[in-house]
Amino acid sequence: MSVSWLPDWVGATESFTLSSGDDEWPGARPVDWALTGEGLRRAHERLRELPVRRIVDVVDVVAERWAKRDFPLRRKAVVDAVKVTGMSEETVDRALDAEVGNLRTGSLLAALERELGDPEVLDGFRGGTRAIGPRVTLAVFSGNVPGLPARSLVRALLVKSALIAKLPAKEPNFTAAFLRSLHEVEPVLADAVVATYWSRSDDTTLSAALEQADAVVAYGSDQACAAIRAKVAPHQVYEEHGHKLSFGIVTDAYARLHGPAEVARRIAADCSDFDQHACLSPQVYLVDRRHARAVAEHVADAMRRAASDCPPGTVDEDDAIVLQHRRINAEWRAASTASGEVWAASGLEWTVVLDDALLPLSGAGNRVARIVAVPDPAAAVELMRPYARHLQNVGLGAVGEEFWRIADQLARVGASRIAAPGEMSRAGFAWRHDGQPRIAGLVRWCDVENHPESAATEG
Amino acid sequence: MTVAHDDPHVHRLFERLALLATDRQGDPDALHEQLVELAVANSPEVARYWKQVGTGVGVPADAYKDGGPHLFPDEPAVREFRTSGTTGAVRGRVRYTRLGLALKGIAIRANARRALIPDPVEPAVVVFAPSEEAAPDMAIAFDMARIREECGDPHYSASVIGAGGVDYDLLARTLDRAVADEVPVVMVGASFAYVNVCDRLEAEGRRWELPPGSRMFDGGGFKGRSRVMRVDDLRDSVRRVFGIERFGNIFGMTELANQLYDSSDEPVGPLGERPKAWQHFGGPRVRDPRTREFVTEGRGLLEITDLSLLDRPHVLLTGDLGIAHRDGVAIAGRVAGSTSRGCSLSLDELTGGQ
């Protein structure tokens, strides 16, 4: 099945092939982007006729189908994602549960209301104001977490924008499959999306696609985002999801309240979800030093159990070399310091490192739980400060007044999300993704002011 | 119970290791065992490390960024070298005691005698590295000085990198004299130095046709450099400028005593890196990235055993990528800090791998 999604109205195309190991997936991309842009703007006009509530209802129906693990399109997408990402089927399924589970009526409306007040400002003037989405949005996706493209795709459709989706080579199958089921429920939505692929080095296609867009959403490394940002014109709305870093904190009170075994279970969940490939996954848990060793010992058991509940993915050779190199360095550090220790599976399935310094590091994905002992929460916050520019998500294990005090400090340092330990990887749809309103960020407002007609309506 | 540097046992061990290096005499396995015992006795941290990972597994080179294990910490260092610090800002310090430095010198001379000049002539040795006096804390300067002493005809040899960079006049005089008297030239030095020298000389249209038997050896590769060259491209450019036809690569590290020479001319690594073979004094092996077992084929973590190393554990995980091959191990650059995934970033990508 093709990894691309091209509505019937798209004219001439050229084919491409994406491969992973022995598996190959064909796809097609439009040849004439000016023509494609015209088609998308026409599709946008039809999309604009749908009330926002109708769009919400359609997405909800599709999400309901996708929420069932045995839904055939989902099964196929999961099997394909396993082949490309090397993740286990259970890991991919959990990623889709987290992403697609977000797309139900309740959370869609909550996000719309949070960011726009009254969602119906997207349909016409309400209380003297009106919100207009872009005609066409270009979204360049990254593939570190299966299902991640759904989030920005649905946001664009909610504001009635047509969309050019650039598929990630590392997880190319989900988007087109999702759009196929969208087409079954409401063709007007799916016909407003062109999902295709071009290589990162293909500047010509990127520029041609970009020329058709009123808004641009970029996911990926800082370098990949910078390459896109350099091409964005002043009239284009630009949103970026660049490199991000996430941490966890466990305070003395939290550790005493829940006990080391339960705290460890939560830390292990955060470090195991999506094989720790998500930017929401913690790189380090900063744990009060009175509990760090006890917690770390339990984390080793919890990582083992998490691995049997949800098997880790295969680690490719490059990643394996990096991980083993880090593990050996951590083992040397543990042997040469009084308080460090390393626990690990016999293979590369999981690693737990206890240390008393943030640097040098041993962790970067593939289920490495790094527990660093800190004297108090203030020290934990200080350790994060140098990374403020990239700080994203914090799993904050703190209680009561102390929770709010640390949360406030983290917000000021630069965190854009604070979740409970064990809940770090499941970001809600209403979350202001990376600290900005992502629905309101796409729209332009028109207010009626100082006009007798407005006064009459308001009255 | 720790063993002191001046203990007769250490002296006897020194003698045996020196004999192995110079004459290939002695039992390498027994010497390995004695060095293991010495490390366990003299470094509690090495003992703890080996208890965790298995006795004799290489100590990671990153350990020397924090000072690292030294087997004679109370013995004054006669020389302290700085590591190159290519992966970040942190430069390690590596101490050599009197016996340790002497053994390193012996090992370097013995290897150079065997690998550098198989012909029975005394060549002009031209060193593209600073002199020992100019850079006393650079291990490469020490190594090159020993090579020059061992192999070079003093009348014709020179170190052509001075305080102000390459001394082109000295280089030209040295080469002209060798050509006039038909003395073969052996060039040794940093890979990147050759690139700059060849660029400049080619731009100026200067070239030499060095006498038959001349050779070029480079070391250090291109880590941390803005430009990376394939092995054969570097050799082509040296061939064009100096008329040299025979080449080799030398792998040395500040933390190690022995230098490793190419064991065959077959390109094995991604840039055409040639393999280095296991020898009487040890050498390179590759550990499987998943199991840590040694592999005879394929990629993994480079580990070097060095039976001429007295001051530190004699097995080192260098932090390089090794490619095991029939003829030895090709050394193919540093292990990456990590692989980046979409928007997910690792901390050390932000900190230069410190």
Side-chain angles (χ1 to χ4, degrees), chain A residues 27-198:
Chain A
R29 102 185 124 239
V31 176
D32 186 337
W33 281 95
L35 212 62
T36 306
E38 279 172 34
L40 284 166
R41 283 184 287 275
R42 278 195 302 275
H44 157 72
E45 303 210 336
R46 287 190 294 275
L47 177 56
R48 210 165 55 180
E49 299 306 313
L50 295 183
V52 65
R53 274 308 301 239
R54 169 67 186 154
I55 299 173
V56 167
D57 289 344
V58 169
V59 173
D60 181 75
V61 170
V62 174
E64 186 182 18
R65 291 180 187 177
W66 274 79
K68 296 190 179 77
R69 286 196 172 191
D70 58 359
F71 178 53
L73 271 171
R74 170 170 168 152
R75 276 322 332 131
K76 174 84 172 73
V78 169
V79 170
D80 284 338
V82 166
K83 288 179 185 163
V84 191
T85 61
M87 288 173 167
S88 70
E89 210 167 309
E90 181 64 21
T91 298
V92 176
D93 263 321
R94 289 185 185 196
L96 292 187
D97 288 346
E99 283 304 322
V100 186
N102 271 324
L103 305 177
R104 306 306 304 275
T105 299
S107 50
L108 298 175
L109 285 178
L112 284 164
E113 283 163 9
R114 182 176 198 195
E115 296 199 10
L116 304 178
D118 179 351
E120 286 173 27
V121 291
L122 290 163
D123 297 336
F125 277 100
R126 301 274 293 180
T129 193
R130 169 83 162 96
I132 308 287
R135 290 171 302 171
V136 178
T137 300
L138 166 67
V140 178
F141 292 116
S142 68
N144 45 323
V145 179
L148 189 63
R151 200 173 274 261
S152 287
L153 183 143
V154 166
R155 282 187 202 130
L157 293 175
L158 286 174
V159 299
K160 308 185 186 183
S161 173
L163 185 77
I164 302 167
K166 196 236 167 189
L167 304 170
K170 285 179 182 164
E171 208 278 285
N173 296 285
F174 165 79
T175 309
F178 189 79
L179 287 163
R180 277 185 199 101
S181 33
L182 196 61
H183 193 261
E184 285 171 14
V185 179
E186 178 52 271
V188 171
L189 260 68
D191 281 347
V193 184
V194 166
T196 186
Y197 174 81
W198 58 87

Side-chain angles (χ1 to χ4, degrees), chain B residues 16-263:
Chain B
R16 287 189 201 116
L17 295 172
L19 197 62
L20 182 73
T22 52
D23 297 351
R24 306 185 193 201
Q25 286 188 22
D27 176 359
D29 292 340
L31 290 168
H32 165 78
E33 286 305 323
Q34 289 183 47
L35 287 172
V36 164
E37 282 168 24
L38 179 68
V40 168
N42 279 17
S43 168
E45 45 199 339
V46 172
R48 274 197 301 274
Y49 174 68
W50 280 345
K51 202 169 171 188
Q52 164 94 7
V53 301
T55 299
V57 172
V59 169
D62 282 354
Y64 294 97
K65 289 180 181 170
D66 292 338
H70 289 277
L71 303 190
F72 307 110
D74 300 331
E75 179 68 16
V78 295
R79 197 68 84 77
E80 192 172 278
F81 296 122
R82 307 290 304 273
T83 62
S84 54
T86 44
T87 52
V90 178
R91 292 182 67 193
R93 288 174 184 280
V94 176
R95 302 168 74 247
Y96 279 87
T97 61
R98 182 174 53 82
L99 289 178
L101 193 70
L103 191 56
K104 179 177 171 70
I106 288 168
I108 286 174
R109 284 163 174 268
N111 287 327
R113 172 62 49 192
R114 271 191 287 269
L116 206 72
I117 44 162
D119 318 317
V121 290
E122 265 201 331
V125 172
V126 177
V127 177
F128 288 86
S131 72
E132 217 179 349
E133 297 72 31
D137 68 349
M138 276 181 74
I140 189 172
F142 175 89
D143 294 353
M144 295 299 158
R146 298 295 83 72
I147 289 173
R148 188 177 152 188
E149 282 167 9
E150 178 67 22
C151 305
D153 182 330
H155 179 65
Y156 290 99
S157 299
S159 294
V160 298
I161 295 192
V166 178
D167 184 340
Y168 284 93
D169 291 339
L170 176 61
L171 175 63
R173 280 202 309 278
T174 308
L175 297 184
D176 289 345
R177 192 187 304 152
V179 170
D181 297 349
E182 294 183 3
V183 176
V185 175
V186 172
M187 296 181 170
V188 287
S191 312
F192 204 73
Y194 289 110
V195 178
N196 293 335
V197 166
C198 290
D199 279 357
R200 161 125 173 215
L201 293 174
E202 276 202 297
E204 292 175 354
R206 299 168 75 184
R207 70 177 303 279
W208 283 265
E209 193 65 43
L210 295 179
S214 293
R215 292 179 164 78
M216 170 276 213
F217 291 88
D218 71 302
F222 296 95
K223 55 194 178 189
R225 300 290 183 174
S226 53
R227 185 168 151 200
V228 170
M229 253 180 135
R230 299 182 58 80
V231 171
D232 288 328
D233 292 344
L234 176 64
R235 294 180 178 185
D236 283 345
S237 100
V238 171
R239 185 180 288 119
R240 282 196 304 274
V241 175
F242 298 109
I244 286 180
E245 293 295 336
R246 294 155 85 177
F247 302 94
N249 176 268
I250 307 176
F251 181 85
M253 283 178 76
T254 306
E255 295 85 347
L256 294 175
N258 275 292
Q259 294 179 309
L260 309 178
Y261 288 81
D262 292 347
S263 53

Side-chain angles (χ1 to χ4, degrees), chain A residues 251-327:
Chain A
T251 68
D252 171 50
Y254 188 85
R256 279 191 284 111
L257 181 66
H258 297 287
E262 176 58 18
V263 170
R265 188 192 65 75
R266 295 174 187 187
I267 292 174
D270 287 339
C271 296
S272 300
D273 280 352
F274 314 151
D275 291 342
Q276 208 179 16
H277 289 191
C279 48
L280 294 165
S281 307
Q283 298 272 334
V284 176
Y285 249 96
L286 302 160
V287 177
D288 187 286
R289 66 182 169 203
R290 285 162 284 189
H291 305 277
R293 172 162 287 275
V295 166
E297 282 169 0
H298 281 93
V299 173
D301 289 334
M303 293 295 280
R304 187 179 297 116
R305 277 196 297 276
S308 80
D309 283 357
C310 181
T314 53
V315 178
D316 71 26
E317 192 178 70
D318 285 337
D319 280 359
I321 290 169
V322 169
L323 182 49
Q324 190 64 265
H325 172 64
R326 284 161 177 271
R327 211 189 245 185

